[in-house]
Amino acid sequence: MKLARGRGVLALPWLAGLALLLITGSLASPLLPLVALGIVLTSTRTGTAAAGFVGAALLLLSAGWQVRVADLTAAHVVGAVATLLAGVVPALLLERGRRSGRTWTGPWPGGLTGPGRESGTAPDGQRRIADLERALAESCHRTGAVRAILWEVDPDGARAVQSAASDRRLRSDPFLLAGTTLGWVWSEGLALWLDREAWLHAEHRARCVRLQRGEGRGALLTWAFDRDRPAPHGGVLEDAAGQLERALALADARAAAGAEQRRSAQLMGVLQRLPSRIDPDEVANELVSAGLDMIPATGAALALWTGETGEVVAVGGADAGPGPGARFQAASSEFALAARGGATILREYGLRGPALPIVAPGEQWRARPRNLAAIPLVTGDRTVAVLGVWSSEQPRLDPAAVSLIETLAPFAALQIEHALEFGRVRARANSDPLTALPNRRAFEDAFRAETARQQRYGHPIGLIVLDVDHFKSINDRFGHEAGDHVLRAVADVLRGAVRELDLPARIGGEEFVVLLPETSVVHAREVADRLRQSIETMTVVWKGEALPVRASLGVSSCPGCVVLSGELMESADAALYEAKRSGRNRVVTAPLRG
C-alpha cells in the first residue's frame, strides 16, 4: 500500500507538467527542460527502467499532437530531442547498472544500487546478502518499519557502508562516522532515535542500534518509521535486534563455511594442476591466479629469488605496479624482505600507502595497495621465490585465505624448482654447445610453429641460410680450434644483427639459418646483406694472426618466393647453392613468384 501510494504521488508532476506544456506552447515551451528533469527524477526514483521511456513518449505524444508538421520549428525539434533523451538516457544507465551489478548513486535520498557491496561475483557473498535481506524484511514486518538497513563498519570504526537493505536499495558511498549520531551509537553502544540524516527520507524517523562489535568487523542496524505513525515499544525493537544479530552471525557463519569450502576446492585444484606445469612461466602464472582467487585480491605477483636479487616473472590483477622483468635487490622492497627473512610479511597500509616499494623500485600503481601478504616459497633452507597478494579495495586480507596459501607454499617452491631445472635441461637440449645458438631441433620446432601460423593468418615469413666460405681450409690451415673460434664469432654477429623475435640457429657444421617472422622478401634481403657485410668486416684473430672470414647467403620468403611455407628451406638452400656457384661472399635471393 505504501509503495502504491508513493508511485501515485510521483505521477502528479507528469500531469502538472503536461498541463503546463499545453498552456505555454507545447514542445516550444520554455518549461520543457523542467518537465524533462521531472522525468529523470521519476524514472530513477521509482527504480523502473521503463519509466523514462514511457514518460518521454507520453509527453511527446500529448504535448505535440496540436503542432502540425508544416509549423514545426527548430525549437520544437530541440525540445522533442531533449525530452526523449531525458527519459532514455537515465533508463539506459539504470538498466546497465542493474545488469552489471554495479552501483549507481544519484542525488536523491536513499540512492539506488545493485545487490550489495559484498556480493560481487562470489557465491558466498551473494548468499550472505540474500540471507540478510530476508532477515531485514522479516524485522520490518515485526516492527512495522517501512525499511531496514544493515551497515557494515570498517575495522577502524571510521566508516560505515550500507551492505544490505529490506528493499535492496542501497547507497554505495561510505558514510564517515566521526561526529555523527551513527558514530555515537557505534562507539557508545546505545540505541538512538534519529530525525534528520542525509540518508533518511524527510517523512521518516529512524531507530539505530549496534548489532555486534567484534575483532575486525562490526555492524549497525537502522529501521525507518513513518513520522505520522506511533513507533513500537522498546521491547519489540530489542527482540527484533536480537533476532537480526543472530541472523547476521548465522549468515556470516554460512558465508565463512562456503568460502572455506571454496578455498579448499581451489587449493586442491592448484595441487592437481601444478605437477602438470613443466614451464617456469606456467607455474608462476598458475600461482598468481591462485593468489588472486583464493584471497580474493586485486593484484598478485610472483618473483624468483636467487639469493640477493629477485626478478618478477608473473603479474596479475588490474592495479598495475610491477611489470614482468622488474628486478629488486636485498632490502629494497617488501618482497626482498620476505625473501631474505624466509617468513611471511603481512602489512596493512590503510590509505597512506606503503613506505617501501611493494615489489621493486620504480613500480607505478593505478590503484595503491591498502595491504599486502608477501609469502616466501622456501624449499629446504633456501627461498626460491616470493608470492605476493594485495588489495586496493579491502582494508585487510582474509587471514584464513593467507594461511591456506602458506600451506601451499612448500609444494609451490618444489614445483618452481623442478620447473627451473627442467627449463635448464631443455635449454641445454635445444642449444648448440659450441655457439650457444639454438640447434637444429630448436629451429625445426620454431619453424613448424611459424609455418603453421603463416598458413592460418597469411603473414609473411623470411628465411636466410648462411654458409661460411672455405671453412675447411681454415680448419686445415689453423686447426679445428681456430675453426670453432670462427663459428663462435659468426654466431655473435647473427645474435647482434637480428630482432628479438627472429631466430638465428646453427643447424650443422658451418651452416646457419635465420628465421624471420613477419618479414617480406625485400626486408629479408636487407637483413642478409647486412649480415654478409658484418661478417666480412669483422676481425677474427687466432694466435696473433687475423683470419679472413666470408659467407654466402641464400634468401627466400613466403609468399614472395614460394606458395607454401614448407617449401622455404628448399628454396633458400637453392639460393645458397647459387651464391656459392657464382663466386661466394654474396647474397642470392630465390626467384620471385610471377
Side-chain angles (χ1 to χ4, degrees):
M1 182 66 69
K2 178 73 177 177
L3 180 61
R5 183 170 71 248
R7 289 188 176 178
V9 172
L10 287 170
L12 294 178
W14 284 13
L15 298 177
L18 174 59
L20 288 172
L21 287 181
L22 292 174
I23 294 171
T24 58
S26 188
L27 292 178
S29 170
L31 298 179
L32 188 61
L34 295 178
V35 179
L37 179 61
I39 295 176
V40 175
L41 294 176
T42 303
S43 62
T44 52
R45 176 64 184 86
T46 58
T48 305
F53 292 100
V54 174
L58 286 176
L59 287 175
L60 286 173
L61 289 174
S62 56
W65 67 273
Q66 59 185 352
V67 182
R68 295 180 302 172
V69 175
D71 296 334
L72 285 175
T73 64
H76 290 106
V77 175
V78 171
V81 171
T83 305
L84 187 60
L85 290 178
V88 171
V89 172
L92 288 177
L93 290 174
L94 180 62
E95 195 63 32
R96 181 182 178 186
R98 282 178 168 178
R99 291 179 180 179
S100 65
R102 295 178 180 175
T103 297
W104 179 31
T105 303
W108 50 91
L112 183 66
T113 73
R117 74 182 177 97
E118 282 200 14
S119 59
T121 58
D124 310 316
Q126 292 174 350
R127 284 193 294 269
R128 178 178 183 273
I129 293 298
D131 290 343
L132 292 176
E133 287 171 348
R134 285 192 293 269
L136 290 169
E138 177 63 23
S139 76
C140 288
H141 177 72
R142 289 176 175 274
T143 61
V146 297
R147 189 166 186 247
I149 303 173
L150 182 71
W151 304 71
E152 301 276 357
V153 180
D154 67 17
D156 299 329
R159 302 181 180 194
V161 176
Q162 297 179 3
S163 62
S166 56
D167 57 2
R168 301 184 180 182
R169 296 160 63 97
L170 303 170
R171 290 189 69 95
S172 64
D173 49 315
F175 184 85
L176 297 178
L177 295 177
T180 67
T181 47
L182 281 182
W184 194 88
V185 172
W186 170 249
S187 61
E188 301 301 325
L190 298 177
L192 281 182
W193 283 100
L194 312 179
D195 288 325
R196 296 287 183 268
E197 299 290 334
W199 47 271
L200 187 63
H201 286 281
E203 66 269 22
H204 295 158
R205 60 196 301 251
R207 180 72 169 180
C208 179
V209 298
R210 188 176 76 188
L211 286 189
Q212 61 178 210
R213 186 174 186 177
E215 183 179 354
R217 69 181 310 161
L220 292 168
L221 169 68
T222 56
W223 287 289
F225 297 92
D226 283 332
R227 290 182 179 274
D228 56 357
R229 297 180 60 183
H233 60 78
V236 172
L237 295 177
E238 288 179 5
D239 290 344
Q243 291 179 356
L244 275 170
E245 189 158 23
R246 290 188 291 274
L248 178 59
L250 180 60
D252 286 344
R254 287 178 176 173
E260 186 65 28
Q261 184 177 8
R262 176 176 54 84
R263 283 195 295 265
S264 297
Q266 289 173 331
L267 177 62
M268 293 304 299
V270 175
L271 292 175
Q272 291 171 356
R273 290 190 299 270
L274 272 182
S276 65
R277 307 291 192 248
I278 57 176
D279 183 86
D281 290 340
E282 292 180 351
V283 175
N285 287 323
E286 181 72 46
L287 292 172
V288 165
S289 296
L292 287 171
D293 293 340
M294 292 169 65
I295 292 295
T298 61
L302 187 133
L304 298 180
W305 181 253
T306 58
E308 291 297 325
T309 60
E311 180 179 356
V312 178
V313 293
V315 180
D319 293 338
R327 294 177 177 273
F328 53 92
Q329 305 293 326
S332 64
S333 69
E334 303 278 29
F335 267 45
L337 294 178
R340 292 198 70 187
T344 299
I345 288 181
L346 297 174
R347 306 287 195 207
E348 291 181 11
Y349 306 115
L351 299 178
R352 67 184 184 277
L356 275 177
I358 295 289
V359 181
E363 59 197 17
Q364 299 293 322
W365 297 95
R366 293 193 193 98
R368 187 177 294 278
R370 298 179 63 184
N371 46 60
L372 168 71
I375 303 167
L377 309 183
V378 180
T379 175
D381 59 352
R382 186 170 66 89
T383 299
V384 176
V386 178
L387 174 62
V389 291
W390 59 82
S391 174
S392 58
E393 298 174 353
Q394 301 298 328
R396 62 179 53 183
L397 299 175
D398 183 353
V402 174
S403 296
L404 205 59
I405 293 181
E406 288 180 309
T407 303
L408 173 66
F411 182 75
L414 192 61
Q415 290 301 126
I416 289 177
E417 197 168 54
H418 287 169
L420 291 173
E421 182 58 30
F422 177 81
R424 287 189 286 267
V425 171
R426 184 173 59 181
R428 288 195 296 268
N430 290 335
S431 178
D432 173 52
L434 177 65
T435 63
L437 287 177
N439 58 17
R440 176 181 285 274
R441 186 173 75 172
F443 165 73
E444 290 176 347
D445 290 343
F447 185 72
R448 279 193 296 269
E450 191 59 36
T451 53
R453 196 171 73 91
Q454 192 278 332
Q455 291 170 7
R456 180 173 183 180
Y457 299 107
H459 299 167
I461 306 176
L463 183 67
I464 299 171
V465 181
L466 179 152
D467 192 87
V468 179
D469 293 335
H470 304 295
F471 184 70
K472 184 176 183 302
S473 65
I474 295 176
N475 280 337
D476 293 343
R477 181 179 175 186
F478 299 99
H480 289 282
E481 290 185 2
D484 292 345
H485 185 58
V486 168
L487 294 178
R488 283 191 288 266
V490 171
D492 290 340
V493 169
L494 295 183
R495 264 190 293 266
V498 298
R499 303 168 300 178
E500 185 175 348
L501 68 97
D502 300 330
L503 179 75
R506 181 188 178 205
I507 58 175
E510 67 273 22
E511 191 172 5
F512 298 82
V513 293
V514 182
L515 180 62
L516 304 166
E518 306 284 344
T519 305
S520 67
V521 63
V522 174
H523 292 116
R525 174 63 189 246
E526 292 174 356
V527 174
D529 285 334
R530 188 166 65 248
L531 288 173
R532 188 201 65 79
Q533 293 173 9
S534 298
I535 292 172
E536 183 179 20
T537 57
M538 72 179 180
T539 301
V540 180
V541 178
W542 179 253
K543 294 183 178 180
E545 184 172 350
L547 303 180
V549 182
R550 305 289 184 268
S552 299
L553 300 93
V555 179
S556 185
S557 176
C558 178
C561 301
V562 295
V563 177
L564 299 176
S565 52
E567 301 170 348
L568 267 175
M569 194 68 189
E570 182 180 351
S571 174
D573 266 335
L576 172 63
Y577 176 79
E578 179 60 26
K580 285 186 169 295
R581 190 191 65 80
S582 59
R584 291 185 169 84
N585 191 28
R586 65 189 59 203
V587 176
V588 173
T589 303
L592 301 179
R593 295 171 56 202

